[in-house]
Amino acid sequence: MLVRPFGSGPRYGRVCPCGSHISWVFSMLNVRPITPPPVAGDILPSMKKGYGFPVLMFALAAFVFVVPASGQFLTGSAHAIVLHAARLLDIESGRIVQPGEVLVQGERIVEAGSKVTHPTGADTIDLRDTTLMPGLIDAHVHLFLHPGAEDLQTVEESVPQRTILAVLAARDDLMAGFTAERDMGTEGAGSADTAVRDAIDHGLVPGPRLRISGNAVDVLGGHEDANHFNPAQHILSNATYANNAAELVSVVREQFKEGADFIKIYETGPDTVRDGRFSTVYQYTEAELAAAVQEAARTGKRVAVHATGEPGTLYAARAGVVSIDHANQLSDETMRLMREKQVFAVPTFTIFEYFAAHPSSPESGERDRQMLELHAPEFRRQLAAGVPMALGSDVGPFPHGTQAREFELMVKYGMTPLATLQADLLNGAKLLGWQEQIGALKPGYLADVIAVPGDPLQDISVLRKVSFVMKGGVVYRK
């Protein structure tokens, strides 16, 4: 893994010793303060008072709406905006419309197609030889992680420090075209993601729409526990402990109290590859997972799991989780249940590719390389079995804003560009609970629009070259 100590390099600068040096922080970050945008719309969760804001006080003081000084800017308008480009992606039909136009009023799309109404006084933004398409969705991110030794980040960096970095990570993802994301655990920062989500929702900082899980849930000695440290030092786990069904129910209630939108549970780990065979340990029984799923459902919410293989993936599918993230190995029965129950698989190829290329040790690099090689044919089996897919990158351990690589890998390992985009935009909207709100350019949908060069149905790699970003009718990048 690439290690960049906190406080080095141009991206982060240094931590200001006190709030009176805000201008110095801006100069170190190469950013400029600007006027906040309009508050986002009614599908966004309401501000949760009392949770997380003490953690973000310094961050908001230093970063009250910032964007890079390198020409990226933000504008919002209460009157109509017409976006014009050479092409528009109709994601539901799988067609490219030429030319493409979108009429935006406030935060919503009014019309979309080859020609829309141009109201008197409307602003027209001509994006020339680009393709208009819905904002991208990443269903598996870690805003509170950055490249470097993950276990040391959570020990050496304070929660306020990590929250500042999470604000910057959210900005980077948005500027890369990701207008909606699911944060899959703060990795030891508790419910600090509540503050980040709420600050974004209220226009205090730029970032994607977020579904957050707070701290993930794990067993004592499980996948995210501090297993490799001196036990006498009592290093805290990166997840919240729950060792049986009753404790799971209690933790689920606590997470929701602190602002979580869903629950993330570690169901498997550690993973091993021996003689070309993959195996992993399960952490919760089917009955224990079912207790968590039922408790979440009581309040209309859902559970997602980190699960790489059997039997944990089968237990999760039977229990009724909404997604099985990583899904390296699925049995025939697990795939059948996922197809019938519409449980999403989220492959996260990019994280395995990154770890294989940037190993913390030769042994770990070889293991991740083998896991990626084993995952590819399993992925094709899952596609053939009709397992519903969503796109998630596991960004955080690799740099935020670079996760469009996941699209390329899903195509490389068996999906067409159109199927990959539909998995991201249509299935991603369902997975995040925002179906019929985001994921398509349609009247009444939120105006989350990006522009890319070329045709993404012919060359999926153009998603790395986003040149325009609008979220909720507000232009963040042009």
Side-chain angles (χ1 to χ4, degrees), residues 184-305:
M184 293 289 284
T186 62
E187 307 292 314
S191 58
D193 54 352
T194 299
V196 176
R197 178 201 62 201
D198 291 350
I200 291 169
D201 289 355
H202 287 255
L204 300 176
V205 295
R209 307 178 190 283
L210 291 178
R211 294 299 197 192
I212 61 164
S213 64
N215 222 24
V217 185
D218 198 10
V219 296
L220 180 67
H223 179 75
E224 281 298 309
D225 207 348
N227 294 320
H228 303 296
F229 290 94
N230 176 2
Q233 296 302 313
H234 303 290
I235 303 299
L236 298 176
S237 171
N238 285 347
T240 300
Y241 290 136
N243 290 307
N244 52 51
E247 291 180 5
L248 276 168
V249 170
S250 179
V251 167
V252 167
R253 291 173 179 173
E254 183 68 21
Q255 301 281 44
F256 288 152
K257 175 185 175 183
E258 295 184 6
D261 298 309
F262 70 100
I263 299 298
K264 191 264 185 82
I265 293 176
Y266 283 99
E267 169 57 5
T268 64
D271 305 326
T272 58
V273 180
R274 291 192 180 94
D275 299 323
R277 295 181 63 86
F278 172 83
S279 64
T280 189
V281 178
Y282 76 88
Q283 298 193 172
Y284 295 103
T285 66
E286 178 187 337
E288 288 169 334
L289 284 178
V293 169
Q294 290 165 13
E295 177 57 29
R298 183 179 65 83
T299 57
K301 297 182 180 180
R302 302 184 290 186
V303 173
V305 295

Side-chain angles (χ1 to χ4, degrees), residues 1-142:
M1 296 169 66
L2 295 176
V3 178
R4 173 178 285 176
F6 182 81
S8 68
R11 177 178 176 193
Y12 298 125
R14 290 170 287 178
V15 175
C16 173
C18 74
S20 64
H21 296 144
I22 290 174
S23 62
W24 178 81
V25 173
F26 282 134
S27 67
M28 291 299 295
L29 290 169
N30 189 31
V31 297
R32 57 188 172 86
I34 63 176
T35 305
V39 175
D42 58 1
I43 71 160
L44 297 171
S46 60
M47 182 78 78
K48 309 291 195 303
K49 293 183 179 179
Y51 293 103
F53 273 88
V55 167
L56 201 55
M57 288 297 288
F58 177 77
L60 294 184
F63 302 108
V64 173
F65 217 82
V66 297
V67 297
S70 57
Q72 294 173 348
F73 69 101
L74 182 149
T75 58
S77 176
H79 62 275
I81 298 174
V82 175
L83 306 178
H84 177 87
R87 296 166 299 276
L88 178 146
L89 174 62
D90 183 336
I91 188 62
E92 292 182 330
S93 69
R95 295 185 303 110
I96 292 290
V97 176
Q98 296 180 320
E101 291 190 339
V102 179
L103 171 61
V104 176
Q105 180 76 51
E107 65 176 16
R108 303 249 170 201
I109 295 171
V110 178
E111 297 178 39
S114 60
K115 179 69 175 177
V116 300
T117 303
H118 287 232
T120 301
D123 291 333
T124 298
I125 300 177
D126 187 355
L127 297 167
R128 302 183 183 277
D129 187 21
T130 63
T131 299
L132 294 171
M133 59 180 291
L136 305 175
I137 299 170
D138 192 332
H140 192 126
V141 308
H142 290 283

Side-chain angles (χ1 to χ4, degrees), residues 385-421:
V387 174
M389 295 289 166
L391 184 142
S393 68
D394 211 354
V395 68
F398 65 93
H400 280 276
T402 68
Q403 64 261 49
R405 174 63 174 163
E406 187 70 20
F407 290 91
E408 298 172 36
L409 292 175
M410 290 178 76
V411 170
K412 176 181 178 179
Y413 294 127
M415 297 184 80
T416 66
L418 175 59
T420 302
L421 286 164

